[in-house]
Amino acid sequence: MDTTPDLKTYDLDADELRLMQMMKALGHPARLQIFRYLRDNPQCITGDLVEVLPLAQATVSQHLKVLRDAGLVCGTIEGPATCYCLSADNVAWFAARVGDWFRHAG
Amino acid sequence: MDTTPDLKTYDLDADELRLMQMMKALGHPARLQIFRYLRDNPQCITGDLVEVLPLAQATVSQHLKVLRDAGLVCGTIEGPATCYCLSADNVAWFAARVGDWFRHAG
DNA sequence: TCGCTATATCGTTATTTTACGATAAAACGC
DNA sequence: GCGTTTTATCGTAAAATAACGATATAGCGA
């Protein structure tokens, strides 16, 4: 007899989950602002972002973690501060994948 | 004297807000699955999606509303059912905008 | 008209997210 | 070592989201 459970298998694969996580990360105004700031001001530190955004330092740090976990941003310790920049490869992957996924969809 | 309030003006413009809303809408597994299904199966009805997804009918309908509000999907009444398909123009806009926004960012 | 089908919306609960102040952790100058 | 600076993390409260069953709406056929 068949022991395989009757699961619905209309699932997302690993790449699609990654894509989804990135879109979820960017689907918040503060995080899109952070992303834009890093795009326009490479190599800035957390304090620069705190100054620009209407949010507490803890909140900005939390949003940075979401962007880091999504792989869109990386921070390197620079003395007492942390220097952030976009993760070029992953951002390029994101842009390319969105192109593949959506461009010929309409 | 200066009566303008000292607002932080590092805001998102209308296009960026629209982009954000679209990414937010797609940043959920069920909605990305719905989008993919509509991409691969144009002109399907709500019931088809309910059959494929492990969610109740009400929940699928709610997700469809989010996608509609984001402008990614449109539904037209087709007899007793509703026929859904991707909003070609807006999806193309999304793909193009992501390209602009992210491609030369890394 | 009376069901029957398909779907949207309502009302509610559980979960997740967001935001903050307070507190740790780490690097540097003195 | 001792402050100072900068940032991450913790703990928590408020708000938003996700999911469901139940109900309303609308079209079509008998």
Side-chain angles (χ1 to χ4, degrees):
Chain A
M1 71 190 198
D2 185 6
T3 56
T4 56
D6 192 3
L7 290 176
K8 302 195 173 180
T9 64
Y10 191 69
D11 289 334
L12 300 171
D13 64 28
D15 274 5
E16 289 165 334
L17 286 173
R18 192 177 160 206
L19 185 64
M20 190 207 66
Q21 194 188 0
M22 286 179 171
M23 288 196 289
K24 184 173 181 180
L26 292 167
H28 185 283
R31 291 194 291 264
L32 196 60
Q33 285 174 305
I34 290 174
F35 188 97
R36 185 183 59 182
Y37 192 87
L38 289 174
R39 184 196 62 183
D40 299 338
N41 306 77
Q43 314 270 53
C44 76
I45 63 173
T46 310
D48 297 336
L49 292 161
V50 174
E51 233 174 289
V52 163
L53 298 170
L55 295 170
Q57 178 267 323
T59 307
V60 173
S61 205
Q62 195 171 319
H63 282 305
L64 281 167
K65 179 170 169 47
V66 174
L67 290 168
R68 257 187 288 129
D69 290 346
L72 290 165
V73 147
C74 65
T76 58
I77 295 171
E78 192 90 9
T82 307
C83 176
Y84 275 99
C85 58
L86 299 183
S87 297
D89 290 354
N90 292 336
V91 171
W93 180 89
F94 174 73
R97 206 94 236 287
V98 169
D100 295 349
W101 238 74
F102 300 90
R103 186 88 60 175
H104 54 80
Chain B
M1 71 192 196
D2 185 8
T3 56
T4 56
D6 192 3
L7 291 176
K8 301 194 173 182
T9 64
Y10 191 68
D11 290 334
L12 300 171
D13 65 28
D15 274 6
E16 289 165 334
L17 287 173
R18 190 176 162 208
L19 185 63
M20 190 206 67
Q21 195 188 1
M22 287 180 171
M23 289 197 287
K24 184 173 180 177
L26 293 167
H28 186 283
R31 291 194 291 263
L32 196 60
Q33 284 174 305
I34 290 174
F35 188 97
R36 184 182 60 183
Y37 192 87
L38 289 174
R39 184 196 62 184
D40 299 339
N41 306 78
Q43 314 271 52
C44 75
I45 63 172
T46 310
D48 298 335
L49 292 161
V50 174
E51 233 175 288
V52 162
L53 298 170
L55 294 171
Q57 179 268 322
T59 308
V60 173
S61 205
Q62 194 171 318
H63 282 306
L64 281 167
K65 178 170 169 49
V66 175
L67 290 168
R68 257 186 289 127
D69 290 347
L72 291 165
V73 147
C74 64
T76 57
I77 295 170
E78 193 90 8
T82 306
C83 177
Y84 275 99
C85 59
L86 299 184
S87 297
D89 290 353
N90 292 337
V91 171
W93 181 89
F94 174 73
R97 205 95 236 285
V98 169
D100 295 349
W101 237 75
F102 299 91
R103 187 87 62 177
H104 52 81

